[in-house]
Amino acid sequence: MNIDIPQGKDPIEYVWGEMIPGIGPAAANFSLAVYAHTTLGLREFEAARLRIAQINGCVFCLDWRTERDGEKVEDDFPEAVINWRTTDAFDDRTRLAAEYAERYALDHHNLDDDFWERMSAHYTQKEVVELSMSLGSWLAFGRLNRVLGLDTMCVLPGHRPG
């Protein structure tokens, strides 16, 4: 579905801010907080975020790269995320972040004791909660943007025509 966006309005600002003012701004603040207050390393953060983006198919999310202090993941990182099981580009934390993202989105009923033992060996409980909240944000809002057609209307900062 494509939402009708009034002429001259930014699609995200309109849908997330103006259409549902009692919910949209709160959702946007949650979405922004995931980036502003994370304690996770950039590679594990991006591995989880990109795996959710790949599953959701959100065009905007797939094109986005989180930047911290002028650093971004390497250009071939998305391919490594697809191949998280076999890539040698990931350490254990990054691989687990991609695995958790995939299982969170597609198979959360089967997060078994073996998985949690591996997670507990590399992540604190606080980090697991933070990663889980981040995954929830990306899954929900990336999927919302994809389903409503906003992902193809949005333009990355610095890529605006003009």
Side-chain angles (χ1 to χ4, degrees):
M1 169 178 203
N2 284 317
I3 300 296
D4 296 325
I5 308 298
Q7 186 71 25
K9 296 276 186 174
D10 177 89
I12 290 287
E13 290 175 6
Y14 176 72
V15 172
W16 286 62
E18 293 182 46
M19 285 187 82
I20 48 168
I23 300 172
N29 285 336
F30 174 46
S31 180
L32 293 171
V34 165
Y35 293 87
H37 302 291
T38 187
T39 64
L40 300 170
L42 179 61
R43 291 179 64 76
E44 61 223 27
F45 185 89
E46 276 294 273
R49 189 198 64 74
L50 270 167
R51 190 65 197 119
I52 293 293
Q54 291 163 348
I55 291 165
N56 280 345
C58 175
V59 174
F60 181 84
C61 303
L62 288 166
D63 286 344
W64 177 263
R65 293 297 172 272
T66 302
E67 183 177 326
R68 289 203 199 136
D69 300 322
E71 291 189 37
K72 292 183 180 182
V73 294
E74 59 274 14
D75 290 342
D76 60 351
F77 194 82
E79 186 67 28
V81 171
I82 290 170
N83 298 306
W84 63 263
R85 288 173 183 83
T86 58
T87 185
D88 57 5
F90 288 174
D91 63 12
D92 290 338
R93 281 178 61 98
T94 305
R95 187 179 318 281
L96 276 165
E99 178 183 358
Y100 185 33
E102 182 173 303
R103 293 180 73 174
Y104 185 99
L106 300 174
D107 195 25
H108 64 283
H109 290 286
N110 290 311
L111 291 168
D112 55 14
D113 290 341
D114 173 65
F115 172 78
W116 289 119
E117 283 179 33
R118 291 185 291 116
M119 279 296 283
S120 295
H122 295 281
Y123 286 88
T124 67
Q125 288 186 351
K126 181 179 174 182
E127 289 173 322
V128 170
V129 171
E130 179 181 333
L131 184 54
S132 299
M133 287 185 176
S134 298
L135 292 170
S137 171
W138 299 321
L139 183 64
F141 302 137
R143 198 162 286 185
L144 177 146
N145 288 338
R146 176 69 183 142
V147 167
L148 298 181
L150 298 175
D151 66 324
T152 58
M153 291 185 218
C154 298
V155 179
L156 288 172
H159 291 104
R160 294 222 182 262

